[in-house]
Amino acid sequence: MSISPSNPTLQSVSQALSAAISKRTQFLANAKQNETDCYRIFHGTVEGINGLNIDRYGNAWLIQSFHQALTEDELSQITVQLTQESMLPVIYNDRSNKNSRVLNSLSDDNEVFATSEQQMQENGILFSSKLRHEGQDPLLFLDMRIGREYVKSHSQDRTVLNLFSYTCGIGTAAAVGGATRVVNIDFSSFALAAGKRNAQLNHVENVCEFIQSDAFPALRQLAGLKVGGRRNQKLPAYPKLSATQFDLVFLDPPRYAKSVFGIVDLINDYQSLFKPAMLTTKPGGTIVCCNNVAKVDRQTWFDSLVRCVEKQGRQVTQHVWLDCHEDFPSFDGNHPLKMVALTLS
């Protein structure tokens, strides 16, 4: 079984991985110097094998296939190449079925390792890691490194709101960067538990707050707006919050999600989240907006954000694009994950 429609040979898989590692020589040297042991070593969509990603997560290599499973020969060859680079355990998660759940079994030793808590570091910040757990994705999104770096360097003596926080990587970076208060909001108790662990690893738990809530009622309350829901939907209980503005707001919603409170739709209705998030941003503060949908045009999306700000009688006084690091290459310099930091009057 091949791993892409182009039916690559075992030799082409090996060559593509070798080329990717060679291109990262300086990156890998810098990562070691910067106390970073979590990064992408092979970004298949761009580097030759569509649907195959290979990452380092601390003391392990993680291979993930999203379109077709690796053959035993392909997995064996990749394992040899990775362990030549660094002698670490290799975990393979085949996620090629429709709902992206892990399909393949592991040996008993590898299963114990993959499901146990590990630690990794990024720019000296510690994060917990499990290569297999009750969710689908790894506990830290590596392409968001530039976002964590930006937040860390812009959080000194500031208050920070981290929306759709997942395992609170952004919030942890903010706290390590000197924030006075960090509020992490996510609907998943599992993700927030991992976030609490990350705060503890870095001794910043006294700065971080963790609120389990649907984003819509939390955001609307913080923005001083009425909490509503979709038509004919009875609203469940939700945490009560007071209207509050923050110096730095980080908005990183999923592509699409539906609840009784509203619909997250990054293609057709980013504004339903952006407007209340903007209202929770202090005058002179910054909101970092993320959109991970490849087909959303970068400039069109940015223009829509500016229009939304201006409709509220405010202005974007400065903006900075945050581009993914070189371990996440793109075809044309326009990565599917778009991040922009907007300073608002």
Side-chain angles (χ1 to χ4, degrees):
M1 183 183 297
S2 64
I3 57 176
S4 83
S6 59
N7 194 29
T9 64
L10 178 60
Q11 183 179 18
S12 68
V13 174
S14 176
Q15 289 174 341
L17 178 55
S18 293
I21 294 174
S22 179
K23 289 178 183 177
R24 286 166 171 76
T25 300
Q26 189 59 52
F27 170 84
L28 294 172
N30 292 340
K32 184 176 182 179
Q33 183 177 5
N34 294 328
E35 298 181 285
T36 296
D37 61 11
C38 48
Y39 44 76
R40 177 149 295 178
I41 199 74
F42 183 74
H43 191 57
T45 300
V46 176
E47 296 185 289
I49 309 295
N50 196 25
L52 178 66
N53 294 331
I54 306 175
D55 301 309
R56 179 172 176 177
Y57 277 93
N59 292 321
W61 295 109
L62 176 64
I63 304 170
Q64 297 189 95
S65 55
F66 292 90
H67 296 336
Q68 285 184 280
L70 291 168
T71 66
E72 289 186 9
D73 285 345
E74 288 164 344
L75 179 58
S76 177
Q77 177 59 45
I78 291 171
T79 298
V80 168
Q81 291 176 263
L82 293 177
T83 52
Q84 287 175 345
E85 177 65 26
S86 190
M87 185 62 71
L88 301 171
V90 176
I91 302 299
Y92 172 43
N93 289 347
D94 178 20
R95 299 174 60 182
S96 59
N97 65 334
K98 291 183 179 179
N99 64 11
S100 196
R101 296 285 177 184
V102 176
L103 288 173
N104 61 307
S105 59
L106 298 172
S107 67
D108 289 344
D109 287 346
N110 276 0
E111 182 69 27
V112 170
F113 178 84
T115 56
S116 63
E117 180 179 323
Q118 309 293 324
Q119 288 184 21
M120 54 191 169
Q121 60 177 349
E122 178 186 86
N123 297 311
I125 302 177
L126 296 175
F127 295 101
S128 63
S129 172
K130 283 185 180 180
L131 302 182
R132 288 193 174 185
H133 53 83
E134 65 183 60
Q136 298 183 77
D137 296 310
L139 298 184
L140 191 73
F141 290 113
L142 302 182
D143 56 352
M144 189 54 70
R145 186 185 311 116
I146 184 64
R148 290 185 288 271
E149 290 173 346
Y150 178 89
V151 167
K152 180 185 177 184
S153 64
H154 289 79
S155 293
Q156 182 69 48
D157 300 323
R158 305 183 83 187
T159 57
V160 177
L161 174 62
N162 182 23
L163 299 161
F164 300 95
S165 65
Y166 190 46
T167 58
C168 311
I170 290 293
T172 303
V176 172
T180 57
R181 182 190 184 196
V182 178
V183 177
N184 299 286
I185 296 176
D186 198 275
F187 189 71
S188 167
S189 59
F190 167 79
L192 290 176
K196 291 177 182 178
R197 178 62 177 147
N198 288 334
Q200 292 167 354
L201 286 174
N202 294 280
H203 309 292
V204 293
E205 61 268 32
N206 61 320
V207 176
C208 297
E209 302 170 33
F210 305 88
I211 299 174
Q212 185 183 358
S213 175
D214 186 291
F216 281 105
L219 249 182
R220 293 189 69 82
Q221 289 179 92
L222 291 171
L225 301 173
K226 182 180 178 181
V227 175
R230 295 164 57 210
R231 181 178 298 179
N232 299 323
Q233 296 279 337
K234 182 179 179 181
L235 299 183
Y238 53 86
K240 301 303 187 286
L241 304 173
S242 300
T244 310
Q245 287 191 316
F246 297 81
D247 297 303
L248 177 60
V249 175
F250 201 94
L251 178 61
D252 182 22
R255 175 182 180 133
Y256 186 88
K258 183 186 292 186
S259 78
V260 297
F261 294 101
I263 297 176
V264 177
D265 185 347
L266 302 199
I267 298 175
N268 301 304
D269 192 17
Y270 196 96
Q271 283 70 20
S272 65
L273 289 169
F274 176 68
K275 177 183 174 181
M278 178 211 15
L279 294 176
T280 67
T281 308
K282 290 181 179 179
T286 299
I287 179 169
V288 181
C289 303
C290 307
N291 192 317
N292 57 31
V293 181
K295 73 177 184 179
V296 170
D297 179 74
R298 172 176 163 130
Q299 189 62 45
T300 301
W301 175 62
F302 174 77
D303 292 342
S304 72
L305 298 178
V306 174
R307 286 195 301 271
C308 188
V309 170
E310 292 175 346
K311 284 181 180 179
Q312 299 304 310
R314 301 177 70 175
Q315 297 291 323
V316 176
T317 59
Q318 182 181 358
H319 74 273
V320 178
W321 287 99
L322 307 178
D323 296 322
C324 294
H325 285 288
E326 60 193 277
D327 54 329
F328 284 84
S330 62
F331 289 112
D332 54 3
N334 292 314
H335 195 278
L337 174 58
K338 294 162 281 290
M339 290 180 276
V340 63
L342 308 174
T343 302
L344 308 179
S345 63

